[in-house]
Amino acid sequence: KVKGVYAAVAWNRYTAKQAAEHDATNVLVIPARLVSAKTAMKLVAIWIDQKLSPEKKYRRRVQKIKKIETSL
């Protein structure tokens, strides 16, 4: 774990959207063997356009990760 880096793997529209909305990621990992360059560009666009969900359960998840970072 690198402090301040929140990464997620995305291989389709759903996983790209969820990574941003639910996990507050700031790094998107796209598997080259599974995703074409054209699709990868679309996934990045989807991911960039999303904001962290206002739902408490997702914000709590992010806070738990940040708490772990302070103990490293």
Side-chain angles (χ1 to χ4, degrees), residues 18-48:
Q18 296 292 97
E21 286 184 344
H22 295 182
D23 301 325
T25 57
N26 55 12
V27 174
L28 189 63
V29 181
I30 301 172
R33 290 186 182 187
L34 301 177
V35 179
S36 69
K38 183 178 178 181
T39 300
M41 295 299 288
K42 289 178 184 178
L43 295 180
V44 170
I46 290 166
W47 179 73
I48 287 173

Side-chain angles (χ1 to χ4, degrees), residues 1-71:
K1 173 73 182 104
V2 177
K3 187 175 183 177
V5 176
Y6 309 109
V9 179
W11 57 92
N12 59 29
R13 297 172 65 89
Y14 176 79
T15 55
K17 186 176 177 189
Q18 296 292 97
E21 286 184 344
H22 295 182
D23 301 325
T25 57
N26 55 12
V27 174
L28 189 63
V29 181
I30 301 172
R33 290 186 182 187
L34 301 177
V35 179
S36 69
K38 183 178 178 181
T39 300
M41 295 299 288
K42 289 178 184 178
L43 295 180
V44 170
I46 290 166
W47 179 73
I48 287 173
D49 287 341
Q50 304 307 308
K51 303 274 190 263
L52 180 61
S53 171
E55 290 184 59
K56 288 182 182 180
K57 64 183 176 181
Y58 303 121
R59 295 193 180 267
R60 277 194 310 264
R61 179 185 298 164
V62 172
Q63 289 306 313
K64 286 180 182 180
I65 294 169
K66 288 182 179 183
K67 187 176 178 180
I68 291 169
E69 284 183 331
T70 61
S71 67

